[in-house]
Amino acid sequence: MIKELTTCLTGFLMMAGTTGFAAIPSTDIAIGGIKPGMNIDEAIAAFGQPTYHAQGEEALFQNGIKIDLDDYTRRTIEEIKLSGSSDIATPAGITIGSSESAVTEAYGHPDKLKNEDGVQEYTYYAADSGMKIEFKVIRGTVAKIKCELNN
């Protein structure tokens, strides 16, 4: 009896001491239907032909999306960024200009919250993959959204 009680108590204490995560699904880590790990051709089909910079490692689209590609093949999307005025949204409906409360209503409590000089950065990690999504919030409003592979 004591052995079972000790085992249950140990399990409870281990669970209580672990860090909680928002545990969002990887399908929620995307901008405009494009997510990290996809091929650049899928982004071109969705957004049109980009201009390339940094020796083909960055693709800039007219809708304000900036995509960083892998260094080796320059085909795999490693990071997607959106800033400036745009109606492109995350799967949860967050856009540039959304409120800070809309982010927490859509995604819950962040896995990581950083506050630097009045800029809040909300970071959420996918529970089922190596991706994350970040929201930069200035004066209560989303100013930048970034999705990336979490290396």
Side-chain angles (χ1 to χ4, degrees):
M1 176 72 168
I2 291 182
K3 186 176 181 180
E4 288 89 8
L5 184 59
T6 303
T7 302
C8 288
L9 183 59
T10 302
F12 175 75
L13 291 173
M14 287 176 65
M15 287 184 352
T18 60
T19 303
F21 290 99
I24 63 173
S26 62
T27 54
D28 283 352
I29 299 182
I31 302 173
I34 304 301
K35 63 184 195 173
M38 288 179 136
N39 189 290
I40 187 63
D41 293 334
E42 295 171 276
I44 291 169
F47 304 138
Q49 191 62 39
T51 55
Y52 290 93
H53 295 280
Q55 300 169 339
E57 292 177 15
E58 293 178 350
L60 305 172
F61 294 87
Q62 289 203 7
N63 60 9
I65 296 271
K66 177 183 172 191
I67 291 179
D68 291 343
L69 301 167
D70 71 293
D71 295 335
Y72 183 67
T73 67
R74 292 183 173 81
R75 305 298 306 156
T76 303
I77 298 170
E78 290 186 338
E79 183 177 280
I80 307 158
K81 293 179 246 178
L82 177 63
S83 57
S85 179
S86 179
D87 60 350
I88 296 173
T90 68
I94 305 299
T95 64
I96 301 299
S98 290
S99 68
E100 185 172 15
S101 62
V103 172
T104 56
E105 286 173 22
Y107 290 96
H109 183 74
D111 294 315
K112 183 172 138 186
L113 179 60
K114 185 175 161 184
N115 184 352
E116 193 171 296
D117 297 328
V119 177
Q120 302 279 341
E121 187 172 282
Y122 291 77
T123 303
Y124 298 88
Y125 297 95
D128 55 351
S129 71
M131 293 189 289
K132 66 181 177 178
I133 188 167
E134 296 175 352
F135 300 92
K136 282 200 179 178
V137 176
I138 301 172
R139 291 183 293 285
T141 303
V142 174
K144 184 176 184 181
I145 304 171
K146 179 170 70 170
C147 300
E148 66 182 315
L149 294 174
N150 187 30
N151 298 327

